[in-house]
Amino acid sequence: MFNSLATSPDSLTRIYTGFQALSDPLRLQILQLLRHQELCVCELRDHLDIAQSKLSFHLKTLKEANLVRSRQEGRWIYYSLNLSQFLLLEEYLSEYRRFAALVPARFCEENK
């Protein structure tokens, strides 16, 4: 019934780390900025007005969750969204909508 790709142990780990990374408001702000264009660390820092060490921590978390990619150009590191990871999370959630039976809750009967 479920997509075997989305339920393999490797995929479940990727899904877990993806949702865990999405649970932080600052990381959501970073992703929101990256929705529009690739940005370097200095641009992200300026938009968010946070210390570079704090930003680096959150970018590392997003990279480990495969939500962002980085590339180096000269001395600058640019970050962009890794859309394939977002697709994996989207497919995982859509399986609940497609395959979960929407059955109303039953009333529990008390044991007498």
Side-chain angles (χ1 to χ4, degrees):
M1 179 183 277
F2 284 104
N3 180 341
S4 60
L5 174 66
T7 56
S8 71
D10 180 53
S11 290
L12 288 175
T13 299
R14 289 175 52 206
I15 290 165
Y16 169 77
T17 57
F19 284 124
Q20 189 175 26
L22 291 171
S23 70
D24 184 89
L26 182 57
R27 290 193 287 264
L28 290 176
Q29 289 179 339
I30 293 167
L31 295 173
Q32 184 67 28
L33 290 169
L34 294 175
R35 284 180 70 184
H36 306 290
Q37 66 184 22
E38 179 182 68
L39 295 169
C40 70
V41 173
C42 60
E43 292 170 314
L44 288 167
R45 187 188 67 228
D46 290 346
H47 281 292
L48 298 168
D49 194 30
I50 60 172
Q52 185 160 343
S53 59
K54 185 175 184 177
L55 178 59
S56 293
F57 169 79
H58 288 287
L59 287 169
K60 180 181 179 222
T61 301
L62 290 168
K63 273 190 75 171
E64 289 173 349
N66 293 315
L67 293 170
V68 298
R69 293 182 176 161
S70 65
R71 68 174 182 87
Q72 188 164 356
E73 187 174 308
R75 64 183 208 142
W76 304 109
I77 298 176
Y78 291 87
Y79 289 89
S80 61
L81 296 180
N82 179 11
L83 297 178
S84 64
Q85 178 65 5
F86 285 92
L87 182 60
L88 177 70
L89 298 177
E90 181 183 347
E91 287 175 350
Y92 176 77
L93 288 176
S94 72
E95 288 178 355
Y96 282 95
R97 185 184 72 245
R98 284 189 313 198
F99 298 117
L102 298 176
V103 179
R106 296 181 309 179
F107 289 104
C108 296
E109 294 183 31
E110 292 184 31
N111 292 332
K112 295 182 181 185

